[in-house]
Amino acid sequence: MATYQIYELSARAVMSYASEKNGVYTFALNRSATEHSKVPGAKHEQDSCAMFHQLMYELQGNRWRERDEEKITALSDVLFYMDFAGIFDRRGTGKTQRTRREKARDMFRPQGVTLDFGSGPQRYMSFERSASMSRQSRLSFIRVDLYEPMRRRIMMNMELGHCQLSKLYAYNGLMFSSGTRVDGIRIDRKHRVIVINNPHKKVERMPVITLQKGEEPGTFHRVETLEDMDITCFDGVGLISKEYAETVDKALCGDHTHTSFQIRMPYIKGMLHQVDFKDFLRRSGTQTILDIWGKTHPVNSVDIILTRSQFKAYGWLQENHMTWEDYWDAFREYNHALYITNLSKTEPEELVELNYQFLSTLSIHPEEFRPADLPAGWNHSPVEDPRQWLTKATETAYYNFCANDDYRRMYFRQGLRQPRGSRAYIMARVLEKNPSFIREPIYAEQLDAQAKKILKGYAVGRLLVPGDSRFLSGDLLELMRQLIAPRILQMPRERAFCEQVQRDFFAEDSFFAPGAAYKHRDSCTLLRNPHIARNEELQLSVHSEGDGLRQQYLGHLTDVVMVSADSLAAERLG
């Protein structure tokens, strides 16, 4: 992936050069002052993203193309990040802190700040930021002459009236998500991408536990209420056809090894899971799909089905009297594309790491954590002890890297699946010819580093347990069931298939996670990742393995965990 030289400046440093007149601060830094305002030690480098592509298209035209592993410097005086860490800290009430906040306020004026990155003084305005940039108190600034052209590109020629600014900033900030651009897949072809409504369900008198402020400052008390809740089913989840998933995956990485894709397009975000919905709908006799605008699309022409929750500009399109076709016209005009920001794993996980936040919520006995009679160090594998305790998998992993010769060789043999000529592949081939090389420093140091990594994590409460990380989704069979068009006249086979589908529900307290590579009991614990607060977990029963329909259409989604579409599992996990 290409990288871009994007400077990161300290807001405090820039503020130190401010001039004040009539209570208004202005910022005009020469080249030396600009250089001294750069954050020391920062990489001043960012991964490729849609925003950088759009900037390059605006500067160099739509014929410009990014090259792999290229470091691009053309944006170094066009866009920069400002670090506002500590500036808006509410705990700071002193004069210095108040002055900094006043200076920050004036940075956001239309006049912005004037800086010199080496090509002469240029004026910059505050621009957009991603969610991760917000968490790190960073904001982008863009050269003034590019502000309006980039705004049109990002907003797809829409003009907005009254709107919730936080949502607008969040959706525009999606352009900063690091991802891989996928070209040459004709995603803008008519009928290829459609949007359907999310099913909704209302749950009445649901017990809700919250905290409310007490009478004394800084005090809170627990409140239990019964509330009616509206559930948006399949929030952020869509489908991609088997055929088009192969096209996208091959364009992305040269082979078809992934089945789930986290995507970004203008005002579109979420997950696409590969499901053969064309075969499913054909068996039901359904020939067309109805979108949110009331238009029908031939099933055989559709390759991506987005839910309305994934398309953030639905209301704004209507406000601008624009259609879905107008969206794709702007998409082509500004040379937008599909971006992949995350993918399903190609190999199943056997162990997953728990963090100390989850451990702090558990109520367990010392013997469940680690029996007192276990040795401080192992001269045999912990697997040989028939008992189960919380740290057993972590201790086993550490032992394997330190003393299990079979495991140590298998660890390097995994390199045979890597590209020829890669370091991992060469090391695997050498070991295959002569297993004794496992004792050579190049191998021993790598094994020792893995063991130390486990030991360091163990020391701060990061424990390995049987399990895996997966994308959470509603039951995708239910999503396809919603697409079946009611028909008066059906062939007997179509009627039998529809009846089978209508009967195939699974319980609200269960989950379906195909292809688990670890042993589990009849129920498992689902945790949010990252687990950042108490009670972000729930225990559900494992769905029956004898479900033929789900195994046929969803059994390959080994990186997805599905729950009942109208359950409160997503809300329960935060």
Side-chain angles (χ1 to χ4, degrees):
M1 180 185 293
T3 57
Y4 290 74
Q5 186 176 68
I6 305 293
Y7 291 119
E8 186 176 326
L9 273 61
S10 165
R12 292 190 185 191
V14 174
M15 289 174 183
S16 68
Y17 295 97
S19 300
E20 187 265 338
K21 184 177 181 181
N22 298 327
V24 176
Y25 292 95
T26 57
F27 307 85
L29 281 66
N30 59 26
R31 184 170 182 179
S32 175
T34 302
E35 188 66 30
H36 282 95
S37 297
K38 293 177 183 177
V39 176
K43 290 177 64 178
H44 303 297
E45 190 175 284
Q46 299 295 328
D47 290 335
S48 178
C49 66
M51 185 69 77
F52 299 160
H53 281 126
Q54 289 300 310
L55 277 166
M56 293 300 294
Y57 294 139
E58 183 63 31
L59 292 169
Q60 300 188 15
N62 283 353
R63 296 179 67 86
W64 173 85
R65 289 295 178 267
E66 180 185 271
R67 295 191 295 270
D68 289 342
E69 309 304 324
E70 178 185 15
K71 183 171 181 178
I72 299 169
T73 60
L75 301 183
S76 58
D77 65 346
V78 170
L79 183 90
F80 70 89
Y81 292 176
M82 188 87 84
D83 183 1
F84 286 91
I87 300 297
F88 301 106
D89 189 345
R90 294 182 180 179
R91 294 169 295 181
T93 56
K95 181 179 178 181
T96 300
Q97 194 69 14
R98 288 199 304 272
T99 302
R100 284 175 177 164
R101 285 197 284 266
E102 290 170 1
K103 291 180 177 179
R105 173 202 63 199
D106 291 342
M107 280 184 176
F108 302 143
R109 293 179 182 274
Q111 292 76 16
V113 298
T114 300
L115 303 174
D116 184 353
F117 287 102
S119 56
Q122 298 281 356
R123 195 155 58 89
Y124 297 86
M125 293 178 63
S126 58
F127 195 45
E128 306 289 351
R129 80 283 185 273
S130 66
S132 63
M133 289 169 65
S134 295
R135 289 192 293 270
Q136 298 167 9
S137 302
R138 289 184 175 89
L139 178 67
S140 70
F141 279 68
I142 192 170
R143 211 169 66 197
V144 169
D145 60 305
L146 291 168
Y147 181 86
E148 282 300 330
M150 286 301 297
R151 185 174 174 273
R152 287 195 298 273
R153 282 180 168 272
I154 294 171
M155 299 183 65
M156 308 288 281
N157 293 331
M158 291 187 295
E159 292 292 338
L160 305 186
H162 295 287
C163 67
Q164 191 172 337
L165 286 177
S166 60
K167 287 191 174 183
L168 176 64
Y169 294 152
Y171 301 153
N172 287 351
L174 293 175
M175 301 287 285
F176 278 111
S177 298
S178 297
T180 303
R181 181 182 172 101
V182 186
D183 284 307
I185 56 173
R186 298 188 62 197
I187 195 167
D188 59 333
R189 195 186 73 185
K190 188 176 181 180
H191 300 303
R192 170 153 279 165
V193 183
I194 67 170
V195 186
I196 64 170
N197 269 313
N198 288 83
H200 286 79
K201 181 182 178 183
K202 187 169 185 177
V203 180
E204 297 180 346
R205 297 182 60 78
M206 175 61 59
V208 177
I209 301 173
T210 58
L211 289 179
Q212 292 186 1
K213 288 185 178 180
E215 295 181 0
E216 296 294 326
T219 63
F220 298 87
H221 60 275
R222 174 182 167 125
V223 176
E224 297 186 22
T225 59
L226 295 175
E227 298 182 12
D228 295 342
M229 298 185 65
D230 289 317
I231 300 174
T232 300
C233 304
F234 308 105
D235 190 11
V237 175
L239 304 178
I240 182 170
S241 70
K242 181 177 65 173
E243 300 81 7
Y244 198 58
E246 181 175 359
T247 299
V248 171
D249 210 10
K250 285 185 175 179
L252 180 68
C253 60
D255 198 5
H256 185 201
T257 57
H258 304 98
T259 54
S260 295
F261 307 83
Q262 187 180 71
I263 67 162
R264 296 287 188 271
M265 287 193 291
Y267 297 105
I268 292 173
K269 64 174 291 192
M271 291 299 305
L272 294 179
H273 299 298
Q274 175 190 313
V275 177
D276 194 0
F277 60 82
K278 294 184 180 182
D279 178 75
F280 182 90
L281 295 177
R282 177 187 59 78
R283 292 178 66 185
S284 73
T286 300
Q287 298 177 353
T288 60
I289 304 175
L290 188 70
D291 69 14
I292 53 176
W293 292 280
K295 295 185 177 181
T296 58
H297 303 266
V299 169
N300 287 334
S301 298
V302 175
D303 283 308
I304 290 179
I305 301 175
L306 301 172
T307 50
R308 178 173 168 177
S309 60
Q310 293 180 284
F311 182 51
K312 309 301 182 180
Y314 174 69
W316 292 333
L317 278 184
Q318 291 183 313
E319 182 181 320
N320 282 265
H321 306 291
M322 293 172 66
T323 64
W324 186 228
E325 289 73 23
D326 293 329
Y327 172 91
W328 289 107
D329 287 342
F331 188 95
R332 285 184 286 269
E333 177 185 353
Y334 296 123
N335 203 22
H336 286 289
L338 172 71
Y339 287 80
I340 305 295
T341 56
N342 201 359
L343 292 162
S344 56
K345 296 181 290 293
T346 56
E347 296 290 336
E349 294 178 323
E350 296 183 12
L351 298 173
V352 68
E353 187 177 86
L354 292 183
N355 61 19
Y356 69 92
Q357 287 99 330
F358 174 67
L359 294 177
S360 68
T361 72
L362 292 175
S363 176
I364 58 175
H365 299 291
E367 292 296 302
E368 295 174 303
F369 186 80
R370 192 176 194 274
D373 62 337
L374 292 178
W378 293 92
N379 56 17
H380 62 276
S381 175
V383 174
E384 297 176 21
D385 192 311
R387 293 174 293 178
Q388 296 296 325
W389 63 93
L390 191 57
T391 65
K392 184 175 183 178
T394 310
E395 295 180 46
T396 301
Y398 181 76
Y399 175 85
N400 286 339
F401 278 111
C402 292
N404 186 336
D405 289 339
D406 290 339
Y407 180 87
R408 286 150 62 95
R409 282 190 286 269
M410 182 186 69
Y411 172 76
F412 287 108
R413 279 201 296 269
Q414 294 173 354
L416 294 172
R417 293 194 290 267
Q418 299 301 314
R420 288 176 177 269
S422 66
R423 176 188 173 95
Y425 180 84
I426 293 171
M427 291 179 70
R429 289 286 292 161
V430 169
L431 203 60
E432 197 175 43
K433 290 186 176 182
N434 188 350
S436 297
F437 272 103
I438 194 78
R439 298 181 181 85
E440 291 296 315
I442 191 172
Y443 292 93
E445 289 171 4
Q446 192 166 326
L447 292 167
D448 186 55
Q450 290 297 320
K452 286 181 178 177
K453 181 181 177 182
I454 293 172
L455 193 62
K456 185 178 179 180
Y458 187 98
V460 294
R462 292 198 290 267
L463 302 179
L464 297 172
V465 297
D468 56 4
S469 298
R470 293 176 178 244
F471 299 111
L472 180 67
S473 170
D475 174 26
L476 295 177
L477 193 71
E478 173 61 22
L479 180 55
M480 290 195 292
R481 184 175 12 236
Q482 300 285 332
L483 300 175
I484 296 178
R487 295 178 62 199
I488 298 175
L489 299 176
Q490 283 183 309
M491 300 291 289
R493 282 186 298 181
E494 295 171 352
R495 186 181 302 109
F497 180 76
C498 290
E499 290 173 354
Q500 181 187 2
V501 170
Q502 295 299 330
R503 291 193 303 265
D504 200 337
F505 289 89
F506 67 79
E508 199 170 309
D509 61 349
S510 67
F511 72 94
F512 180 55
Y518 48 88
K519 294 181 180 179
H520 54 77
R521 299 180 180 177
D522 292 338
S523 62
C524 293
T525 302
L526 273 66
L527 309 171
R528 169 183 169 152
N529 181 26
H531 190 277
I532 56 176
R534 289 180 63 91
N535 302 324
E536 288 181 339
E537 67 273 341
L538 72 161
Q539 194 168 55
L540 297 176
S541 302
V542 178
H543 184 65
S544 169
E545 295 183 358
D547 189 331
L549 271 179
R550 284 187 178 79
Q551 287 295 342
Q552 177 183 352
Y553 288 104
L554 311 176
H556 60 284
L557 297 175
T558 56
D559 220 23
V560 180
V561 55
M562 283 165 260
V563 297
S564 176
D566 53 9
S567 77
L568 290 170
E571 288 79 1
R572 183 70 173 80
L573 292 171

